[in-house]
């Protein structure tokens, strides 16, 4: 009963129900819960379309994380995918992504909003490494819905990030690596 643990090696499997994936070797190691023969089991491995859902959140900081193998285009591409997804269903404010690595994903960061449902504000993305991504490394869509409803995303700072090897599957997003539409208070540094 400790808050510390070690994982990622098949040698560490010591209890029924534990498993380990070695992606480089393309191997899954499993200690079945009931001691059954793994060759006789029907195993299902889910694919997530979203790693972190930050919609309708405030004061959330993602720091020093690696997010990988999310929403692979071969597993199905829905248009709402993202290793990190943020959509304004109400208001989201003061969000930070700092020293986050996003790799081997269909879409890295997906940020969208129209202003009628709420506002995403004060979003900082800094010191992040994004890529490789089959589709977009960053997609940010702002939809002003009229003079009384300005863009739903305001005050975004993108600072000291590295985007690389993006959009290499042209059937997804036409080979575009970064797409930003109708920016409002957007700062690149």
């Amino acid at each position: 009963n400790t808050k510390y643990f070690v994982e990622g090696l098949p040698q560490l499997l010591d209890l029924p129900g534990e498993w380990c994936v070695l992606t480089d070797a393309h191997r899954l190691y499993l200690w079945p819960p009931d001691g059954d023969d793994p060759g006789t089991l029907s195993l299902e491995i889910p694919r997530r379309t979203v790693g972190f859902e930050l919609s309708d959140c405030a004061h959330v900081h993602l720091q020093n994380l690696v997010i990988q193998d999310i929403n692979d285009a071969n597993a199905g591409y829905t248009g709402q995918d993202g290793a990190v997804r943020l959509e304004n269903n109400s208001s989201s404010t003061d969000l930070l992504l700092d020293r986050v690595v996003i790799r081997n994903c269909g879409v890295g960061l997906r940020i969208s909003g129209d202003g009628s449902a709420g506002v995403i504000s004060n979003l900082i993305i800094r010191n992040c490494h994004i890529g490789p991504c089959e589709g977009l490394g960053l997609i940010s869509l702002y939809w002003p819905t009229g003079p009384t409803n300005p863009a739903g995303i305001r005050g975004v700072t993108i600072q000291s990030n590295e985007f690389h090897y993006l959009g290499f599957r042209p059937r997804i997003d036409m080979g575009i690596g970064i797409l930003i539409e109708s920016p409002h208070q957007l700062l690149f540094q």
Side-chain angles (χ1 to χ4, degrees), residues 148-170:
T148 58
N149 277 329
I153 305 170
R154 303 179 202 147
V156 176
T157 301
I158 301 174
Q159 178 182 39
S160 301
N161 297 285
E162 180 181 326
F163 293 88
H164 60 94
Y165 200 43
L166 308 173
F168 57 86
R169 293 222 175 182

Side-chain angles (χ1 to χ4, degrees), residues 47-53 70-87 105-112 134 136-137 139 172-173:
R47 302 266 332 189
R48 296 196 179 274
T49 56
V50 176
F52 284 87
E53 175 66 66
I70 303 289
N71 63 50
D72 176 4
N74 289 325
Y77 182 73
T78 68
Q80 295 300 314
D81 309 359
V84 177
R85 182 174 176 268
L86 176 56
E87 184 174 296
C105 296
V107 174
L109 302 172
R110 180 178 297 276
I111 307 163
S112 61
E134 295 173 301
L136 293 155
I139 179 170
I172 303 168
D173 298 319

Side-chain angles (χ1 to χ4, degrees), residues 6 16-17 21 27 30 35 38 60 89 91 95 99 108 112 118 120 125 128 134 144 146 149 154 159 172-173 180:
V6 180
V21 175
R27 292 192 178 258
L30 168 70
V60 174
N89 299 317
S91 291
L95 304 171
R99 296 179 307 278
S112 61
I120 296 168
I125 304 165
C128 296
E134 295 173 301
N149 277 329
R154 303 179 202 147
Q159 178 182 39
I172 303 168
D173 298 319
I180 299 173

Side-chain angles (χ1 to χ4, degrees), residues 37-147:
D37 177 1
T40 64
L41 298 176
S42 175
L43 299 175
E44 294 183 20
I45 301 172
R47 302 266 332 189
R48 296 196 179 274
T49 56
V50 176
F52 284 87
E53 175 66 66
L54 297 181
S55 300
D56 307 320
C57 293
H59 314 291
V60 174
H61 294 183
L62 297 181
Q63 295 178 289
N64 300 313
L65 292 175
V66 175
I67 305 168
Q68 67 181 31
D69 303 321
I70 303 289
N71 63 50
D72 176 4
N74 289 325
Y77 182 73
T78 68
Q80 295 300 314
D81 309 359
V84 177
R85 182 174 176 268
L86 176 56
E87 184 174 296
N88 68 327
N89 299 317
S90 63
S91 291
S92 301
T93 187
D94 297 321
L95 304 171
L96 171 67
L97 278 71
D98 186 22
R99 296 179 307 278
V100 173
V101 175
I102 297 174
R103 61 181 175 226
N104 303 327
C105 296
V107 174
L109 302 172
R110 180 178 297 276
I111 307 163
S112 61
D114 68 10
S116 65
V119 174
I120 296 168
S121 62
N122 301 322
L123 169 63
I124 299 172
I125 304 165
R126 71 175 177 221
N127 304 316
C128 296
H129 294 270
I130 300 171
C133 293
E134 295 173 301
L136 293 155
L138 169 65
I139 179 170
S140 185
L141 304 174
Y142 308 78
W143 296 292
T145 57

